[in-house]
Amino acid sequence: EIVLTQSPATLSLSPGERATLSCRASQSVSSYLAWYQQKPGQAPRLLIYDASNRATGIPARFSGSGSGTDFTLTISSLEPEDFAVYYCQQRSNWPVTFGPGTKVDIK
Amino acid sequence: QITLKESGPTLVKPTQTLTLTCTFSGFSLSTSGVGVGWIRQPPGKALEWLALIYWDDDKRYSPSLKSRLTITKDTSKNQVVLTMTNMDPVDTATYYCAHGRGAFDIWGQGTMVTVSS
């Protein structure tokens, strides 16, 4: 099973700042990595698939990069609605696995 | 517009079998390339993938839960059913179904299931 590690666990930032979230895989997942955003009481929302492709309707301030074992989700300028938990997920190998999440909260 | 909605009991007793139904619209599970998955989330914890079924009836399961899970589809009803046997309090979670083959682009609202005697 591929283990995903996310860092940091919590990221405290102010609106307008840049957020950089990391996801590391225990073995290569090629580019088969997705990022999700989850707000309290809501289902996750797909932001990025296949490492760098924005899902439908996702604002351009969200971008993904990386391949192999190291991936990054960048939010270029935080909006108030971006404070949430972010999960990475790989679909390269069965079973599909999720990371433990990074919480982006307001500083 | 793709939508999914989970339904099932909110409370089950330990050792009982849980049956959850995902009713969807906006796509067909008989269309090549389509899949529906189940993912759960215990309160305050991370997401855990459980199972996925493809348009061709190929099925995948979480290895740690495989012996307890069964996923089926009813294409005519636009439904996917997940059964989990021998429920335990640690299975208390919100259960989601989602559209996708591995990356899940549309999710249901989720249904909270509590396991308690």
Side-chain angles (χ1 to χ4, degrees), chain B residues 3-7 21-25 38 80 97 107-111:
Chain B
T3 64
L4 305 96
K5 187 173 184 179
E6 307 85 354
S7 59
T21 301
C22 175
T23 303
F24 57 84
S25 63
W38 285 94
V80 172
C97 63
W107 293 58
Q109 64 189 25
T111 186

Side-chain angles (χ1 to χ4, degrees), chain B residues 84-106:
Chain B
M84 181 180 292
T85 61
N86 194 25
M87 292 293 285
D88 183 271
V90 299
D91 296 314
T92 294
T94 296
Y95 287 75
Y96 297 98
C97 63
H99 172 270
R101 293 169 40 172
F104 300 105
D105 59 346
I106 306 294

Side-chain angles (χ1 to χ4, degrees), chain A residues 1 34 36 38 41-46 49 87 89-91 94-101, chain B residues 39 41 45-49 52 54 60-63 96 101-105 107-110:
Chain A
E1 173 173 319
Y36 298 85
Q38 188 179 32
Q42 296 185 16
R45 177 174 71 146
L46 178 67
Y49 65 94
Y87 294 97
Q89 174 238 320
Q90 66 81 25
R91 66 178 184 94
W94 297 105
V96 165
T97 51
F98 288 88
Chain B
I39 302 100
Q41 186 173 38
K45 296 188 177 180
L47 301 164
E48 179 185 16
W49 174 76
L52 190 147
Y54 288 104
R60 305 284 175 163
Y61 295 101
S62 168
Y96 297 98
R101 293 169 40 172
F104 300 105
D105 59 346
W107 293 58
Q109 64 189 25

